[in-house]
């Protein structure tokens, strides 16, 4: 069985609900961005990262982005998945994030899951499947 981590940041609880569904699907350890030690990223077979869109379609800057940047050297060749929620825009932050991950050599295991505001049951089911894709 693969060793999988689910690492997220959530301001409103929407991305947290998505992270819990991903962890359920992957039967994985669940960490907030502040709990996850980037030096352990290489210890996992796969990692799901979750972050909402902030500001002008960007990752959360004080906790999540610094943690993610510290993980990037360990992502080359690693299977990852991305998820998050947004309140406005069209999901540009996710497309930018996917491109950044691919440039770092990460292997996107499945299409990213995004939702506007509160994730409904369809989104949570997609998150469970995202988690399963990492196993």
């Amino acid at each position: 069985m693969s060793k999988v981590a689910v690492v997220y940041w959530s301001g409103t609880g929407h991305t947290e609900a998505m992270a819990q569904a991903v962890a359920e699907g992957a039967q994985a350890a669940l960490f907030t961005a502040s709990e996850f030690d980037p030096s352990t990223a290489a210890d996992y077979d796969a990692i799901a990262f979750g972050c909402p869109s902030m500001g002008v379609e960007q990752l959360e800057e004080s906790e999540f982005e610094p943690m993610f940047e510290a993980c990037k050297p360990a992502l080359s060749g690693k299977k990852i998945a991305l998820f998050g929620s947004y309140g406005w825009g069209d999901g540009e932050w996710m497309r930018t994030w996917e491109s950044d991950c691919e440039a770092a050599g990460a292997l996107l295991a499945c299409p990213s899951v995004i939702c506007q505001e509160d994730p409904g049951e369809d989104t949570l089911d997609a998150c469970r499947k995202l988690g399963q894709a990492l196993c």
Side-chain angles (χ1 to χ4, degrees):
M1 185 164 165
S2 296
K3 184 176 179 184
V4 179
V6 179
V7 184
Y8 73 96
W9 186 91
S10 185
T12 62
H14 300 320
T15 301
E16 180 177 14
M18 296 172 79
Q20 290 170 344
V22 172
E24 181 183 318
Q27 298 179 347
L30 184 62
F31 302 92
T32 64
S34 62
E35 294 170 336
F36 190 71
D37 179 355
S39 70
T40 67
D43 298 342
Y44 291 89
D45 299 312
I47 304 175
F49 291 102
C51 187
S53 172
M54 304 293 289
V56 287
E57 301 243 17
Q58 61 196 39
L59 298 175
E60 190 278 328
E61 293 179 298
S62 64
E63 288 181 33
F64 189 86
E65 189 172 26
M67 176 280 306
F68 183 74
E69 288 297 319
C71 289
K72 272 173 55 176
L75 299 184
S76 183
K78 187 172 298 290
K79 188 164 47 167
I80 69 164
L82 306 175
F83 62 94
S85 61
Y86 62 99
W88 60 90
D90 69 352
E92 178 185 344
W93 106 100
M94 185 59 73
R95 294 187 298 275
T96 301
W97 192 13
E98 289 169 342
S99 295
D100 187 36
C101 291
E102 289 169 344
L107 308 171
L108 293 172
C110 59
S112 300
V113 176
I114 64 173
C115 70
Q116 190 165 18
E117 302 295 344
D118 193 20
E121 201 50 47
D122 288 347
T123 298
L124 295 176
D125 284 342
C127 286
R128 289 181 195 97
K129 289 177 182 156
L130 182 145
Q132 292 167 353
L134 292 173
C135 296

